[in-house]
Amino acid sequence: MEEQKAPVTFSPALRAVANVFSYLLHPLFIPLLITLIAVTALPEYFSAFKQSSFRFNYDVLYIRVLVTCIIFPLLVVVLAKTLKFVDSVQLRDPRERIIPYVGTIIFYFWAFYTFIREGVSPDFFNAFFLGIFIAIVISFVANSFVKISMHTVGWGGVIGFLLAIMWGMGMNVSVPLALAFLLAGVAATARLVLSAHTPAEIYLGFIVGISSQLIAYWIVG
């Protein structure tokens, strides 16, 4: 008779550290992070946004991404919690993720649609937001069958975005790509330590995130 393996348990201190990294590396922050990096590294592609700035360079662009991709999705979660549609803002139960998924799909599609309609943002930037939209739609559909890790979907998206511009635009992104792999590993480890996901759900998140960005760049980039 085979012995059953006891579940792996971690110390409270390690779980506390993992919880901190889980919040710091939350996927909601990724669109703003990528925007900051893209504008800083490639300002010549965002000259139209610089001209429309109010107080400091590119402030309108940053505010748009902040409001659409962070504040609005957070408001949906807070409202769902207030109305008792979800028990926790951490959304541990797949059923609790349905309303936030729907709201986030709408907001990210709106971000992509407005950027591409204006016609002043670079194609790789538009492709990034399309990739996020595709990833969330796939995750929403998969939510009926598996509790896919949105942390690894997000960081997989960062890796996929960097791979896309490296292959498609011939840019040397070896340093940010290595950093993205490191942070993705930290995020994945944190979710495993917290027992928030299984390894399969972690790997599936990476696959969805990376492939969605590559598909989006193939469509738009």
Side-chain angles (χ1 to χ4, degrees):
M1 184 174 180
E2 295 183 0
E3 295 183 0
Q4 292 184 346
K5 294 183 178 180
V8 179
T9 57
F10 299 95
S11 68
L14 184 58
R15 289 179 61 85
V17 172
N19 201 39
V20 170
F21 278 109
S22 187
Y23 280 109
L24 290 177
L25 301 176
H26 198 282
L28 273 182
F29 302 134
I30 289 176
L32 184 59
L33 175 64
I34 290 297
T35 302
L36 288 167
I37 293 173
V39 170
T40 303
L42 303 166
E44 64 273 15
Y45 287 92
F46 298 90
S47 56
F49 294 104
K50 185 177 182 179
Q51 295 171 3
S52 62
S53 303
F54 286 139
R55 297 294 298 274
F56 57 89
N57 292 339
Y58 312 105
D59 55 359
V60 174
L61 175 60
Y62 295 143
I63 291 170
R64 281 178 61 179
V65 175
L66 173 67
V67 172
T68 307
C69 300
I70 298 179
I71 294 179
F72 282 172
L74 282 176
L75 286 176
V76 169
V77 175
V78 172
L79 183 60
K81 177 66 170 64
T82 303
L83 296 176
K84 301 186 184 304
F85 290 133
V86 302
D87 295 328
S88 170
V89 295
Q90 295 183 355
L91 308 175
R92 294 187 178 91
D93 192 319
R95 290 174 298 179
E96 295 182 338
R97 296 184 167 202
I98 295 175
I99 293 176
Y101 266 134
V102 172
T104 306
I105 287 171
I106 294 171
F107 298 138
Y108 279 101
F109 178 77
W110 178 251
F112 162 70
Y113 180 77
T114 53
F115 278 130
I116 203 166
R117 282 282 294 179
E118 287 176 346
V120 296
S121 54
D123 289 338
F124 68 83
F125 192 67
N126 297 334
F128 171 68
F129 282 94
L130 176 60
I132 298 175
F133 169 72
I134 293 173
I136 297 174
V137 170
I138 294 174
S139 300
F140 173 64
V141 175
N143 188 62
S144 300
F145 310 98
V146 61
K147 183 186 164 188
I148 191 170
S149 171
M150 290 310 297
H151 278 74
T152 54
V153 169
W155 285 101
V158 175
I159 294 171
F161 170 71
L162 292 173
L163 290 173
I165 62 174
M166 180 180 70
W167 293 332
M169 302 176 66
M171 293 185 178
N172 182 4
V173 295
S174 55
V175 174
L177 186 59
L179 183 59
F181 271 108
L182 174 62
L183 293 177
V186 172
T189 302
R191 302 308 286 167
L192 290 173
V193 169
L194 294 172
S195 300
H197 294 284
T198 65
E201 293 165 350
I202 294 290
Y203 290 126
L204 182 58
F206 280 127
I207 293 171
V208 170
I210 294 172
S211 59
S212 296
Q213 286 295 325
L214 296 179
I215 292 170
Y217 190 85
W218 177 72
I219 295 173
V220 178

